[in-house]
Amino acid sequence: MSNVSGPDTHTRIYLVPHPKIVFLYPSLIVAVIAGFYAYLTKNVEGRGEHVLSLIFLVVLGINLSVIAFDFPRTTSLTVFFALLAIAIGAWFFFTEFPDAWPAFHRLLAKLTPAANAKFYFLFAAILGLLFLGVWINTQFDYWEVRQNELLHHHGIWANMERFAAPSLRIDKEINDLIEYLLLGSGRLVLHPSDEKRAVVLDNVFFVNRKEAELTKLLGALQVEVKTDNS
């Protein structure tokens, strides 16, 4: 959801949590590109086919790592990409220079993944349908912040819960730097004054912009920023 247009544009802000599957969009893009490449080259066989498949698998592997693990520190992010660069560099080095380590080269030579255009397009279609399902779900489960109240819209029958907003406190957390790089994603924790339990919204897109809009909307709102960088 985005801010509505019209006279009330600056008096309400929509907050939409998302599941982690949304961070697989790079794999969707690569699958579509690989599918068109394989189709236009008539599913060319040989080295080109294997390289294309490896690129797709590397991107998918990185995407799955984002979902499986959190990277809260810049050091962890640096280590992750350093290990990835070393692995990819070693792969290409021992592929181009087999005499450097013959046994390892023979092992790499046996790894010849291959996929045709139909596979890539089917993968993209399945992921696209999941993204569509996520988008539909967000139309029936989201939060709306106004100057005097916090609303939770949920259910196909437009159910709504109301909370007092004047003394609303919000914590912003950036727990995964890769997720933040992909979609500006972060967590917002809402603390309504009349509720004992906090409302946790994970994977809110462009969380810094949402924080700025909330601060402007609520005026004296205290925003505690929790981000772990090192």
Side-chain angles (χ1 to χ4, degrees):
M1 300 288 296
S2 60
N3 288 9
V4 295
S5 59
D8 287 340
T9 296
H10 301 292
T11 62
R12 63 184 68 185
I13 297 172
Y14 294 107
L15 304 175
V16 185
H18 297 84
K20 277 183 172 284
I21 193 174
V22 296
F23 299 111
L24 285 177
Y25 78 86
S27 294
L28 173 63
I29 294 174
V30 172
V32 172
I33 294 174
F36 278 110
Y37 177 84
Y39 176 78
L40 294 175
T41 55
K42 305 302 181 183
N43 296 320
V44 61
E45 297 182 358
R47 183 179 176 85
E49 182 184 24
H50 302 323
V51 171
L52 185 65
S53 300
L54 285 173
I55 292 175
F56 170 75
L57 289 174
V58 168
V59 174
L60 179 60
I62 295 174
N63 260 186
L64 293 176
S65 298
V66 172
I67 293 177
F69 306 103
D70 288 331
F71 298 88
R73 299 174 181 268
T74 53
T75 51
S76 64
L77 188 63
T78 302
V79 170
F80 173 76
F81 281 111
L83 293 175
L84 179 64
I86 292 172
I88 295 176
W91 181 289
F92 283 103
F93 176 81
F94 290 113
T95 299
E96 295 296 330
F97 302 97
D99 295 334
W101 192 352
F104 191 63
H105 172 74
R106 289 193 295 270
L107 176 63
L108 293 179
K110 295 179 181 179
L111 300 177
T112 55
N116 57 23
K118 293 180 181 179
F119 169 83
Y120 294 120
F121 286 139
L122 284 173
F123 178 89
I126 293 173
L127 203 53
L129 288 174
L130 290 174
F131 284 175
L132 177 62
V134 169
W135 178 81
I136 292 174
N137 183 68
T138 60
Q139 306 307 301
F140 300 101
D141 188 5
Y142 60 93
W143 293 76
E144 179 184 349
V145 181
R146 299 181 181 179
Q147 288 181 325
N148 60 346
E149 61 183 349
L150 171 66
L151 307 177
H152 181 202
H153 303 268
H154 59 94
I156 60 175
W157 305 115
N159 299 327
M160 185 168 60
E161 296 179 82
R162 294 177 180 269
F163 306 89
S167 56
L168 177 68
R169 184 169 63 88
I170 297 180
D171 297 337
K172 182 188 71 174
E173 302 175 6
I174 300 177
N175 297 320
D176 192 308
L177 294 180
I178 296 183
E179 293 177 358
Y180 178 75
L181 291 174
L182 287 174
L183 288 168
S185 177
R187 171 184 292 171
L188 289 176
V189 183
L190 312 180
H191 300 273
S193 58
D194 56 349
E195 287 292 319
K196 295 182 179 180
R197 293 189 302 172
V199 177
V200 180
L201 305 180
D202 286 318
N203 305 318
V204 176
F205 295 166
F206 310 111
V207 68
N208 283 342
R209 187 176 69 188
K210 291 296 184 181
E211 173 206 348
E213 293 175 349
L214 287 168
T215 302
K216 182 178 180 180
L217 176 66
L218 300 179
L221 176 68
Q222 297 180 351
V223 178
E224 178 182 358
V225 180
K226 295 182 179 179
T227 176
D228 190 0
N229 290 319
S230 61

